[in-house]
Amino acid sequence: MGKILNSGYGAIFGTYWVIYAVVSSFASVFMLAKGYTNSQIGVTLAAANVLAVIMQPLIADFVDRSKRLDVIGTTEIMTVCMMVFTIGMFTFKGGSLGLCVVFVLLIAFHTVLQPLFNSLAFRLEEAGVSINFGIARSVGSLAYSIFVAVFGTIVEHFGINVMPIASEISCLLLIASLAFTGYYFNKGKKQAPQRNIEQETAEEIAEAEVKAEEEEEINLIQFIKRNKMFFIMNLGVLGIFFSNAVLNNYMAQICDGVGGTTEDMGRILGVMAFLEIPTMVFFKQLRRRFSCQFLLKIAAIGFTVKIAICWLANSVVMLYIGQLFQPVSFALFLPGMVYFSDEMMSRGEAVKGQALFTTMITITTIFATLLGGMILDASGSKMLTFVSTLLTAAGALVIILAIDRVKSNK
């Protein structure tokens, strides 16, 4: 049962990231071919992220309160909604407001699915199975890397009309993965040994008491006042993740600027995703040898070097070389921040620290997509990567100077 549920959970992440490749990574390719300007694409992507921020707490609250729908049922319904939205890619004309709305809804709904899938791991463990989240996330990166590398070639040869078809097929596969996992979860839950209700209640009360002692009820403003250097360090996150958002959303335009094609874009994104897998899988081993502060400094420098190479690139080969720094940038920074927040803060504050980090990434993604589209229309991809390099270098400098001054509150 354990292998089956872990395989199902891995399949969910694999299909989730394949859908991301179609509706997000290739969004610029589709919309450019449909006659939209880069500025219009930027506004569309930014609006999608804003809508996702609004939807996330509402959907999470619904899942927590609902007695009829669990996480699996809710995500199945949201995936069906995405299939309905995808029909708009066939029907709405290029340059229309309707097609923009379709992409806003597709990207927003897809973004909201991720935290639900993250929490699904804990739900599945009710069947008495330990779910390996790290391996499942790596399966997602592997599926994405293979898919974008192949899909770029398909789009280059057959045109953008294959995109909505790929989106519908991917959504069907996600629904199948959810149904498969849900079936074996319910089966395993019935077979799992029943716990004594009185013992369970006593354990829950004890756990709640411990949690109440460990957590302090402070709001975000109080948290920032108590953790000023941590907040300043997170301002650096705005800088380094600006370039990350630019590369994820505008790689098609960057490739075109050095004479590349959609096929090249797909392969570059595939290499980028594939190279982050080893670092994420073996991060715990790295953590045993190096401090989080050191690893995060290296990652900040890695972000800067990667985007600087993309700025200096005069060929597609140079863009490939830039992605060689993915293992010591994004792949190092993401788990590093999770461990760093946990090490430096009390249990209650660590949650707020993670929320602050996630918020900074969301803010810079919105800003990068808006400003990125405008810069592309006004000055081209070289100027965009130049601005990204400056902002990333500034963010890296803030992180390097601030991180050693973050005080532990444990």
Side-chain angles (χ1 to χ4, degrees):
M1 184 64 69
K3 289 182 178 180
I4 293 175
L5 280 180
N6 271 287
S7 297
Y9 191 55
I12 288 171
F13 265 94
T15 50
Y16 170 85
W17 284 103
V18 167
I19 297 172
Y20 174 82
V22 179
V23 303
S24 292
S25 298
F26 282 81
S28 286
V29 175
F30 189 88
M31 296 187 75
L32 283 172
K34 289 291 185 178
Y36 293 95
T37 65
N38 290 303
S39 296
Q40 290 170 330
I41 295 171
V43 171
T44 301
L45 297 177
N49 281 281
V50 171
L51 179 59
V53 170
I54 296 171
M55 287 179 61
Q56 279 178 355
L58 298 177
I59 296 297
D61 183 64
F62 171 79
V63 173
D64 287 339
R65 293 174 180 272
S66 178
K67 295 181 179 179
R68 292 185 177 182
L69 285 174
D70 58 5
V71 176
I72 292 178
T74 302
T75 51
E76 285 176 333
I77 291 174
M78 291 181 68
T79 307
V80 171
C81 289
M82 289 174 64
M83 294 183 70
V84 174
F85 301 150
T86 300
I87 296 172
M89 294 173 69
F90 291 105
T91 56
F92 287 110
K93 294 181 179 179
S96 66
L97 177 61
L99 192 55
C100 288
V101 172
V102 164
F103 269 97
V104 168
L105 293 172
L106 275 173
I107 295 172
F109 269 62
H110 182 270
T111 303
V112 172
L113 285 177
Q114 182 166 349
L116 294 178
F117 289 153
N118 292 348
S119 65
L120 181 59
F122 303 103
R123 184 84 173 91
L124 294 177
E125 289 182 350
E126 292 179 14
V129 174
S130 177
I131 299 297
N132 193 322
F133 177 82
I135 297 298
R137 179 61 180 81
S138 298
V139 169
S141 293
L142 181 61
Y144 174 88
S145 66
I146 295 171
F147 180 82
V148 290
V150 175
F151 195 58
T153 303
I154 294 173
V155 173
E156 186 69 27
H157 285 79
F158 297 100
I160 60 167
N161 288 329
V162 300
M163 288 181 58
I165 298 172
S167 178
E168 295 287 21
I169 294 173
S170 302
C171 286
L172 281 173
L173 290 173
L174 178 57
I175 291 173
S177 300
L178 287 164
F180 171 86
T181 305
Y183 171 78
Y184 281 99
F185 165 64
N186 291 327
K187 186 177 180 180
K189 193 175 178 182
K190 289 178 182 178
Q191 294 175 354
Q194 298 296 313
R195 298 179 64 192
N196 182 278
I197 296 178
E198 291 183 2
Q199 179 186 354
E200 187 176 53
T201 304
E203 289 177 359
E204 287 176 351
I205 293 173
E207 184 179 341
E209 289 175 351
V210 171
K211 186 176 180 181
E213 290 176 3
E214 290 181 341
E215 294 184 0
E216 283 190 76
E217 292 297 326
I218 59 171
N219 58 38
L220 186 59
I221 301 299
Q222 291 173 319
F223 170 80
I224 293 172
K225 287 181 178 179
R226 289 182 55 174
N227 300 276
K228 291 179 181 177
M229 292 311 300
F230 182 79
F231 176 72
I232 292 172
M233 179 196 146
N234 269 271
L235 292 178
V237 172
L238 291 174
I240 63 173
F241 272 85
F242 183 94
S243 62
N244 190 68
V246 163
L247 293 177
N248 283 335
N249 291 290
Y250 294 119
M251 184 58 79
Q253 292 89 329
I254 294 170
C255 280
D256 184 65
V258 295
T261 63
T262 303
E263 186 175 11
D264 293 317
M265 183 206 81
R267 290 175 178 175
I268 289 170
L269 290 176
V271 169
M272 183 192 300
F274 183 78
L275 289 177
E276 71 188 31
I277 296 173
T279 303
M280 288 189 172
V281 170
F282 296 106
F283 183 82
K284 286 186 177 180
Q285 285 83 345
L286 286 172
R287 178 63 194 88
R288 293 191 189 107
R289 296 193 62 183
F290 305 101
S291 69
C292 281
Q293 288 89 332
F294 176 78
L295 293 175
L296 289 171
K297 288 177 186 177
I298 295 297
I301 296 170
F303 272 109
T304 306
V305 175
K306 182 173 71 171
I307 190 62
I309 292 174
C310 293
W311 165 49
L312 296 171
N314 53 15
S315 67
V316 174
V317 174
M318 283 286 284
L319 293 179
Y320 276 108
I321 293 173
Q323 306 322 306
L324 295 177
F325 287 86
Q326 183 74 355
V328 290
S329 56
F330 177 83
L332 202 58
F333 200 91
L334 206 63
M337 274 299 289
V338 173
Y339 278 87
F340 181 68
S341 298
D342 184 64
E343 286 177 3
M344 302 304 290
M345 298 175 186
S346 62
R347 181 173 176 178
E349 285 193 328
V351 173
K352 291 182 175 63
Q354 296 294 340
L356 178 64
F357 173 55
T358 304
T359 300
M360 290 298 183
I361 294 177
T362 304
I363 290 172
T364 197
T365 299
I366 294 169
F367 184 58
T369 49
L370 275 174
L371 185 60
M374 295 176 186
I375 293 174
L376 282 169
D377 280 339
S379 306
S381 59
K382 276 293 178 186
M383 180 57 70
L384 176 58
T385 50
F386 173 66
V387 171
S388 299
T389 301
L390 292 180
L391 290 174
T392 303
L397 183 62
V398 170
I399 289 171
I400 291 169
L401 294 176
I403 193 166
D404 288 330
R405 299 176 65 187
V406 177
K407 297 179 180 178
S408 174
N409 285 334
K410 282 201 167 182

